[in-house]
């Protein structure tokens, strides 16, 4: 019987530097007595992964060891089949979008959408917050109109029925919004032809997102952000890198607290898009800032 503690220490020895800075998490109750699984459960908890991500990772370590016959502590799991992701071609898949969405501007209203689209930003998202359904419908229609003849791809945050009616390019949903959809609603969204982007904050959410075959996967928050209350800690560039390797068959968007100074390290992970909010909306000259960020993307 392999020494579980020794296997866990081997994993930590190889990967502690990649995931430095996270506080260890309690080891969740095991659901298997497989030695590789148990070692990974201990090691991933020590590396600061929360319980449902640790379980997901431990199962992937176990699946790979069973598939290959080797417990390879040096190689972090990144094979989609070991996580139970859909094989290609995917049975469930929303309409495709470009592999590299480039600079992705998340904007508060239709006026900002039009302004950044005219500045040449290739992908824009309307994140309009209101409880007034008529105001939402007006803003979504105005945003769709604002990107006409600009070449910008417009995603609407949350308001998917309104986005369908207005003829938007795509919709972006958070995990909670995705989970709240009934099977019929998900089918309606799929039949509409809209592209679907989904926010993820770790392994378990990436696996859940893959089950519906989104058009792209957003991963974050990479760095601390004050724009919304996050239930998960900032993921950091080390985690972003391993997420990007696992989700390499999807277009990927890095999001959360990313400034111009952080673009180079974020782009080393291989993501094809970086989403920004404050870097444009709070900039003294948003058009000039957009030009600089797009140059960094290139």
């Amino acid at each position: 019987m392999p020494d579980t503690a020794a296997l866990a220490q081997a994993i930590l020895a190889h990967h502690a530097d990649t995931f430095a800075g996270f506080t260890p998490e309690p080891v969740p109750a095991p659901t298997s007595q497989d030695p590789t699984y148990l070692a990974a459960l201990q090691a991933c908890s020590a590396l600061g992964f929360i319980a449902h991500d640790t379980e997901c990772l431990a199962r992937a370590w176990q699946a790979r060891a069973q598939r290959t016959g080797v417990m390879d502590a040096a190689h972090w799991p990144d094979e989609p089949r070991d996580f139970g992701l859909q094989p290609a071609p995917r049975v469930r898949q929303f309409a495709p979008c470009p592999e590299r969405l480039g600079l992705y501007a998340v904007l508060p209203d239709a006026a900002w959408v039009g302004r950044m689209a005219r500045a040449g930003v290739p992908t824009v998202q309307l994140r309009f917050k209101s409880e007034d359904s008529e105001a939402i419908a007006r803003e979504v229609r105005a945003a769709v109109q604002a990107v006409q003849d600009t070449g910008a791809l417009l995603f609407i945050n949350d308001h998917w029925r309104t986005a369908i009616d207005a003829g938007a390019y795509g919709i972006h949903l958070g995990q909670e919004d995705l989970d709240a959809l009934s099977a019929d609603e998900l089918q309606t969204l799929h039949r509409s032809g809209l592209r679907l982007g989904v926010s993820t904050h770790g392994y378990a959410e990436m696996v859940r997102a893959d089950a519906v075959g989104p058009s792209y996967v957003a991963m974050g928050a990479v760095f601390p952000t004050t724009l919304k209350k996050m239930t998960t800690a900032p993921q950091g560039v080390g985690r972003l890198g391993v997420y990007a390797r696992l989700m390499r068959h999807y277009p990927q968007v890095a999001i959360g607290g990313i400034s111009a100074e952080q673009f180079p390290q974020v782009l080393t992970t291989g993501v094809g898009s970086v989403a920004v909010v404050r870097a444009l909306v709070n900039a003294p000259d948003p058009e000039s800032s957009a030009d600089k960020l797009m140059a960094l993307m290139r």
Side-chain angles (χ1 to χ4, degrees):
M1 177 69 70
D3 185 338
T4 298
L7 292 178
Q9 285 304 312
I11 294 173
L12 291 173
H14 284 288
H15 304 288
D17 288 347
T18 300
F19 306 114
F22 289 91
T23 302
E25 292 282 337
V27 180
T31 58
S32 168
Q33 292 304 307
D34 177 83
T36 297
Y37 166 89
L38 291 172
L41 202 72
Q42 293 177 21
C44 294
S45 297
L47 291 170
F49 287 94
I50 57 178
H52 59 207
D53 289 337
T54 288
E55 172 69 17
C56 191
L57 277 165
R59 286 293 181 184
W61 281 93
Q62 179 184 358
R64 188 182 65 190
Q66 291 174 343
R67 176 173 57 82
T68 64
V70 176
M71 194 296 189
D72 183 3
H75 183 190
W76 192 262
D78 61 6
E79 181 60 42
R81 59 183 155 173
D82 293 332
F83 288 83
L85 301 189
Q86 293 189 66
R90 300 182 191 99
V91 174
R92 295 172 296 280
Q93 177 67 62
F94 274 77
C97 65
E99 185 67 25
R100 306 186 77 82
L101 288 163
L103 183 65
Y104 189 133
V106 181
L107 303 161
D109 56 40
W112 269 106
V113 165
R115 184 175 178 180
M116 290 296 97
R118 291 189 297 273
V121 176
T123 308
V124 291
Q125 180 189 129
L126 173 68
R127 184 188 282 173
F128 181 69
K129 300 298 182 182
S130 174
E131 299 298 322
D132 184 338
S133 59
E134 291 185 4
I136 290 168
R138 285 196 301 271
E139 207 69 24
V140 171
R141 288 194 299 267
V144 170
Q145 184 63 38
V147 301
Q148 295 299 312
D149 303 319
T150 67
L153 306 180
L154 172 65
F155 288 87
I156 305 298
N157 186 277
D158 290 348
H159 309 300
W160 62 273
R161 291 189 185 278
T162 309
I164 293 173
D165 293 341
Y169 177 81
I171 183 77
H172 182 92
L173 296 177
Q175 285 281 322
E176 298 82 2
D177 303 305
L178 180 63
D179 291 345
L181 294 180
S182 68
D184 287 344
E185 288 173 328
L186 189 62
Q187 186 62 26
T188 297
L189 182 54
H190 188 274
R191 283 198 303 264
S192 74
L194 261 68
R195 285 76 177 171
L196 171 67
V198 177
S199 294
T200 65
H201 310 89
Y203 281 104
E205 292 191 359
M206 288 187 285
V207 171
R208 280 156 56 193
D210 171 77
V212 303
S215 308
Y216 74 78
V217 176
M219 302 177 294
V222 182
F223 301 109
T225 176
T226 59
L227 291 174
K228 58 189 295 189
K229 183 175 177 58
M230 303 301 297
T231 58
T232 54
Q235 299 297 291
V237 175
R239 288 190 182 185
L240 179 64
V242 296
Y243 296 163
R245 290 204 303 273
L246 174 61
M247 305 303 285
R248 57 190 176 271
H249 301 303
Y250 281 98
Q252 302 163 358
V253 180
I255 189 168
I258 303 171
S259 66
E261 293 74 22
Q262 295 159 327
F263 264 54
Q265 58 178 314
V266 169
L267 292 172
T268 61
T269 66
V271 297
S273 178
V274 178
V276 294
V277 184
R278 290 174 298 175
L280 293 176
V281 175
N282 292 354
D285 185 343
E287 284 77 8
S288 176
S289 294
D291 284 340
K292 291 175 182 176
L293 294 176
M294 287 187 287
L296 290 173
M297 292 294 306
R298 290 191 291 270

